[in-house]
Each structure stands twice: as C-alpha cells, then as structure tokens.
C-alpha cells in the first residue's frame, strides 16, 4: 500500500540538525513520522539531513530556520508557527531539544551575567513554554505530545559552575509538570533527562577538558557514556505512550543515583 501523506504524523524538533537533536529527528523519521528540522546556525547540517531523509522517503523532511528569540515577539512567534504548520499541514509532536549550555561565574561582570541569564533562560525555559503555548491548538486537535529535553542536574544535584543553566533547566522541568496538568487531557507532556550522552563540541566549551570527561565517565554505574540514540529512543517512547504524562525519565546509565553535584 502506498503512503497516504495526510495520515503521516509530524514531529517538530527544535535544534534538530545535530547531535542529540539529529538522533531524535532520524529516530522519529525511521518510525514513519514526517519531520520538521528546526535549526538556528546549523544550516548546512539541517539541509544535508533533510536531503538524506528525503532520499529515503520523498517529501518527508523539511527545515525551519529561526532563533528561539522569536518567542520574545508576538508577530515573530506567529510567523514561526504559521510557517511550521504550512510545511506539512499538521504537527503531532513538539520536541524541545534546542538549548544553550555554558558555565556562569557569579563573580563575572554584571552585564555579561545578565546576558547569560537572558540567553540560558530563553533557550532552556522561556522558548519551550511559549512554543508550547503557540502550538497548543494544533497539538490539542491531534491529541499530540510534547517532549522536553531536561538534565539530571535540573533536580536536586546542580552542576557546579553552571548555576544559571541549572536554574533554567529546573524551570523547564517545572514547565513539564505544570503543562502536563494545564494541557490535560488533550496533550501529554513529558521530559527526558540525559546524563552524559554526548560531550559539548570541544571548541565550544574548553572547560570540559579530558580530566573532567574521565571524572564524569567514572561516575556512571553502567561505566560508559550514553549515546544520542539512547535519548532519541526514550523521546520516541514518551511521544507514543498514551497513558504517561508529567513524567521525567533519566537516561543516564544510573549516574543520577550516585551524583554528588559538581
Ligand atoms: N549532551 C548531553 O550529554 C546532554 C546532557 C544533559 C542534557 N542535555 C540536553 O539535551 C538536549 C540536546 O543536547 P545537545 O548536547 O545535543 O544540544 P546542543 O548541541 O548543545 O544544542 C542543540 C541545538 O540547540 C540549538 N540552539 C541553541 N541556541 C539556540 C537559539 N538561541 N535559537 C535556536 N536554536 C538554538 C542549536 O542549533 P543550531 O546548531 O542550528 O544553531 C544547537 O544545535 C539539550 O536540551 C541539552 O540541554 C544534553
């Protein structure tokens, strides 16, 4: 039987071109979803990924360029939503994956700290909320799902040196639990907390040097670093689990059990 394009579910993955986002995009696509690959700076990766997926199944992957700062402005957010909906005519699953991640030193310059606060809270907390609100009607119509990428450091065990990131991810975790109630029974909202599943690109974050990596690896009971695929499969599970909402699953090889913070 040939594919009926109108019957295919659609997933929108923020930051879906690279790393964990890419694994999520590919995993949903393999399971028959059409995918909207949102990207900001990674145009080449996004277009290449869409091309690869469209070669597997024609007209099944599209790209969407935007800064998450669209959520700061009513018209920009509406334009983002309208464009996203025009790509396949529907959205069933919204995945909040895009994030910024870097340390903040509370001794640093006031203006720099304010900038970091605005950016880390924008990507890790504010955008997920306002995108969820923007797509509420569409997701409710589809009895859809929202899945948020959180962090094992968002609950009880803050990552030393990253206070603003920790705070922003905690707010995102609270969003998952709050929206699970606010959006029930129409939309399910869940979260996945990676442990150490892929290191930041070295050239972007030299603080995570080799000894830190060795220290992190030694702290994982399953004695290995996880993979983006481990995360992607859990995101897919939660997107498809009809009786689960408001839950956060750690995919961390047991690391959150032994975590001291820091
Ligand atoms: N890596 C891990 O082991 C780990 C651990 C704990 C939690 N997590 C969480 O899991 C998720 C994925 O992790 P990751 O390491 O794969 O993420 P990442 O590479 O750090 O970031 C994912 C994408 O977010 C997008 N992004 C950042 N700022 C943006 C902005 N202002 N506007 C629009 N897009 C923006 C970027 O898109 P462009 O490249 O297109 O600019 C980037 O590729 C994140 O939410 C992260 O916090 C990951």
């Amino acid at each position: 039987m040939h594919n009926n394009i109108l019957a295919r579910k659609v997933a929108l993955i923020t930051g879906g071109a690279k790393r964990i986002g890419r694994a999520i995009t590919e995993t949903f696509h393999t399971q028959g979803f059409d995918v909207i690959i949102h990207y900001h700076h990674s145009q080449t990766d996004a277009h290449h990924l869409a091309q690869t997926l469209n070669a597997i199944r024609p007209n099944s992957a599209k790209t969407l360029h935007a800064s998450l700062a669209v959520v700061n402005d009513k018209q920009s957010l509406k334009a983002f939503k309208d464009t996203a909906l025009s790509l396949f005519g529907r959205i069933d699953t919204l995945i909040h994956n895009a994030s910024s991640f870097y340390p903040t030193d509370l001794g640093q310059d006031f203006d720099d700290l304010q900038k970091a606060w605005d950016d880390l809270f924008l990507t890790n907390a504010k955008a997920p909320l306002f995108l969820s609100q923007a797509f509420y009607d569409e997701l409710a119509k589809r009895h859809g799902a929202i899945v948020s990428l959180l962090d094992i450091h968002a609950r009880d065990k803050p990552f030393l040196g990253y206070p603003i990131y920790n705070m922003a991810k905690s707010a995102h975790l609270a969003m998952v639990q709050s929206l699970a109630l606010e959006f029930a029974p129409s939309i399910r909202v869940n979260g996945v907390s990676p442990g150490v599943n892929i290191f930041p690109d070295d050239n972007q974050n030299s603080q995570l040097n080799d000894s830190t990596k060795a220290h992190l690896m030694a702290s994982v009971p399953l004695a290995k670093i996880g993979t983006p695929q481990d995360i992607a499969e859990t995101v897919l599970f939660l997107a498809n689990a009809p009786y689960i909402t408001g839950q956060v699953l750690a995919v961390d090889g047991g690391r959150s059990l032994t975590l001291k913070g820091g």
Side-chain angles (χ1 to χ4, degrees):
M1 201 170 81
H2 67 89
N3 278 339
N4 174 358
I5 195 167
L6 292 176
R8 293 213 295 249
K9 285 189 174 186
V10 175
L12 165 56
I13 303 104
T14 66
K18 286 163 55 175
R19 294 163 54 81
I20 290 174
R22 180 191 174 111
I24 296 169
T25 300
E26 290 174 328
T27 300
F28 274 71
H29 187 264
T30 301
Q31 290 301 311
F33 277 76
D34 286 341
V35 289
I36 301 173
I37 306 161
H38 159 265
Y39 68 96
H40 186 208
H41 293 120
S42 298
Q43 179 175 332
T44 307
D45 293 272
H47 287 184
H48 185 254
L49 179 57
Q51 212 174 13
T52 305
L53 299 179
N54 284 324
I56 296 167
R57 206 169 62 234
N59 201 36
S60 60
K62 297 187 178 175
T63 61
L64 177 57
H65 173 254
S67 162
L68 291 180
V70 291
V71 304
N72 289 328
D73 174 72
K74 193 176 176 182
Q75 294 312 322
S76 306
L77 181 54
K78 185 177 181 317
F80 178 87
K81 181 184 100 172
D82 292 347
T83 306
L85 284 173
S86 74
L87 294 175
F88 290 109
R90 64 187 287 165
I91 291 177
D92 303 82
T93 306
L94 172 61
I95 297 150
H96 298 303
N97 169 76
S99 155
S100 41
F101 172 70
Y102 46 84
T104 42
D105 174 355
L106 294 178
Q108 80 192 69
D109 174 71
F110 176 84
D111 290 336
D112 290 346
L113 216 46
Q114 292 269 328
K115 232 167 89 182
W117 171 279
D118 289 344
D119 176 56
L120 288 164
F121 265 81
L122 171 73
T123 62
N124 289 298
K126 185 175 182 180
L129 175 69
F130 282 92
L131 290 177
S132 299
Q133 188 208 21
F135 288 102
Y136 173 80
D137 289 345
E138 173 64 14
L139 292 171
K141 191 163 78 185
R142 307 288 175 199
H143 294 287
I146 295 171
V147 185
S148 282
L149 274 289
L150 303 172
D151 194 303
I152 55 171
H153 294 286
R155 187 153 48 192
D156 296 335
K157 307 284 184 183
F159 192 22
L160 184 64
Y162 293 72
I164 299 179
Y165 169 81
N166 295 329
M167 291 174 71
K169 281 293 194 195
S170 294
H172 195 169
L173 188 151
M175 183 206 88
V176 167
Q177 296 173 324
S178 301
L179 294 195
L181 297 181
E182 301 290 338
F183 288 1
S186 309
I187 304 169
R188 293 176 304 98
V189 187
N190 291 291
V192 175
S193 290
V196 187
N197 286 74
I198 176 169
F199 286 120
D201 294 341
D202 277 338
N203 57 356
Q204 287 176 9
N205 193 321
S206 56
Q207 271 86 352
L208 273 179
N209 56 25
D210 288 346
S211 71
T212 310
K213 289 181 183 180
H215 168 76
L216 287 171
M217 254 187 275
S219 72
V220 179
L222 292 186
K224 59 184 178 190
I225 299 302
T227 65
Q229 194 59 32
D230 295 325
I231 303 297
E233 283 167 15
T234 310
V235 172
L236 180 71
F237 164 72
L238 289 172
N240 286 332
Y243 201 55
I244 298 180
T245 197
Q247 299 305 304
V248 177
L249 270 179
V251 180
D252 66 348
R255 179 166 150 77
S256 47
L257 294 173
T258 63
L259 208 56
K260 285 187 295 188

